[in-house]
Amino acid sequence: MISPIFYIFAAMMIAGGLMVVLLRNPVSSALAMVLSFLGLAGIFTGLNAYLVGILQILVYAGAIMVLFIFIIMLLDLKKEEKIHHNGLVLFIGILLPSVFMLQLAGVLMTEQTSPTAPELNFTETVDDYPEESIIHKKLKTERLPDVHLIGQKLYKDYNFPLQVIAVLLLSATVGCVTLSKKTSNKSSD
Amino acid sequence: MPTPTLNEYLFFSGLLFAIGLGGVIIRRNIIVIFMCLEMMLAAASLTLVAFSRFNTVKGLPDYDGQMLVFFVITVAAAEVALGLAIIVSLYRARQTINTDQLTTLKG
């Protein structure tokens, strides 16, 4: 019997995802997406990835979803009236994911004994860090200094990708400004 | 209380990905399609984090996987900002965001 908390969060995630696809009002879809990401953040926390879980809530449920809802309100989108679905598209849209899920279930069934998460061992790397560092102190007290370890990794091993990402964000900002500038040379219509 | 196995995480991640894929194919509202794309990215992130936890390096989680999630979230944020800017200019030009009515490139 696996801990029911995992299943509660997983059910939240899947129910939110289904609601995004099934609800006809875009605002409801966006709010269902927040529910889905909250469930996902709970699962991340259960996997000892505390920083990623918090980022999921802050960046996705906080920033990105607010942006979505803002745009939906800005464009003043109405609830979609009862749409006559193109039968072929609906069929393909249900068939493709179902085939994908069947494949995945088939692959997972072949594995007789699925691995459980290995125990974390805090004492093994404790001597790699200087005596007075926070990582050392926390590892000594059997706690996972998640954020500090990620920071070490990010600024030591992933320094160049971090700078590339900074350039990417800058160019995205410039692109947004360029796109949203009113073209003044158009004839007034 | 035993913890979930790797298969459970992979299955739920695949389920979320499949729902997102279905949404991208079925829905016609371009903003909802965009949200479903975000859901597929999040499902991939769940797989990465699960593998990072189940593959310990010296007794700690393998943080390489979580770094990739970090970069995925960053790129997704940039992508959403740009995509929504494109959608707004599209709406200005065509007065619709229904993908069935955006047929300029249809042969």
Side-chain angles (χ1 to χ4, degrees):
Chain A
M1 174 62 201
I2 289 169
S3 156
I5 295 175
F6 168 75
Y7 285 116
I8 291 169
F9 280 131
M12 249 171 83
M13 181 178 90
I14 300 300
L18 279 173
M19 277 154 69
V20 170
V21 179
L22 297 179
L23 292 176
R24 283 212 300 276
N25 189 343
V27 179
S28 321
S29 284
L31 292 178
M33 189 103 183
V34 172
L35 177 76
S36 173
F37 283 154
L38 287 180
L40 186 62
I43 293 180
F44 282 159
T45 312
L47 281 165
N48 296 82
Y50 310 112
L51 179 72
V52 174
I54 289 294
L55 273 184
Q56 189 76 23
I57 292 180
L58 285 182
V59 175
Y60 268 116
I64 291 183
M65 277 303 127
V66 166
L67 201 59
F68 268 113
I69 292 174
F70 170 71
I71 295 294
I72 293 169
M73 302 265 180
L74 180 79
L75 301 185
D76 195 19
L77 299 176
K78 299 285 180 294
K79 185 175 164 186
E80 289 174 36
E81 63 281 0
K82 188 73 183 145
I83 28 180
H84 40 284
H85 261 298
N86 183 345
L88 180 68
V89 171
L90 196 63
F91 175 69
I92 291 173
I94 292 170
L95 179 80
L96 266 183
S98 310
V99 169
F100 173 76
M101 282 314 296
L102 278 176
Q103 276 187 326
L104 187 77
V107 170
L108 294 182
M109 291 294 264
T110 57
E111 185 73 47
Q112 290 305 322
T113 54
S114 177
T116 52
E119 286 294 319
L120 293 178
N121 178 2
F122 298 104
T123 51
E124 203 169 327
T125 53
V126 75
D127 296 327
D128 298 354
Y129 299 100
E131 195 77 42
E132 65 279 0
S133 67
I134 295 180
I135 296 184
H136 187 96
K137 285 175 190 157
K138 277 208 172 177
L139 285 176
K140 270 268 186 266
T141 54
E142 300 278 301
R143 282 158 62 209
L144 185 66
D146 191 54
V147 180
H148 300 91
L149 285 167
I150 286 185
Q152 287 278 342
K153 192 112 197 140
L154 186 62
Y155 291 111
K156 271 186 175 167
D157 304 353
Y158 288 85
N159 204 326
F160 180 65
L162 187 71
Q163 294 177 45
V164 173
I165 283 281
V167 174
L168 181 131
L169 283 176
L170 176 67
S171 54
T173 313
V174 173
C176 281
V177 172
T178 317
L179 272 171
S180 46
K181 227 173 54 179
K182 270 237 189 288
T183 44
S184 50
N185 55 359
K186 265 173 63 177
S187 58
S188 57
D189 40 353
Chain B
M1 194 71 89
T3 52
T5 59
L6 183 57
N7 278 5
E8 256 118 18
Y9 288 111
L10 293 185
F11 183 78
F12 280 117
S13 156
L15 198 56
L16 190 65
F17 189 90
I19 292 170
L21 180 64
V24 167
I25 297 171
I26 293 171
R27 291 302 295 259
R28 296 209 186 86
N29 183 329
I30 204 163
I31 289 186
V32 178
I33 290 178
F34 209 38
M35 282 196 253
C36 291
L37 275 178
E38 292 301 314
M39 228 153 52
M40 287 157 84
L41 283 174
S45 298
L46 175 55
T47 307
L48 283 167
V49 174
F51 278 122
S52 124
R53 175 64 183 84
F54 280 75
N55 173 34
T56 50
V57 177
K58 288 185 181 174
L60 296 175
D62 184 355
Y63 280 109
D64 283 325
Q66 292 190 27
M67 286 327 315
L68 189 49
V69 173
F70 182 84
F71 287 127
V72 164
I73 289 179
T74 316
V75 173
E79 172 215 351
V80 163
L82 265 179
L84 288 175
I86 292 174
I87 289 172
V88 169
S89 15
L90 194 71
Y91 186 80
R92 271 205 212 129
R94 293 265 179 285
Q95 296 304 312
T96 179
I97 55 157
N98 190 326
T99 47
D100 280 355
Q101 290 158 10
L102 301 168
T103 54
T104 318
L105 293 177
K106 206 168 178 177

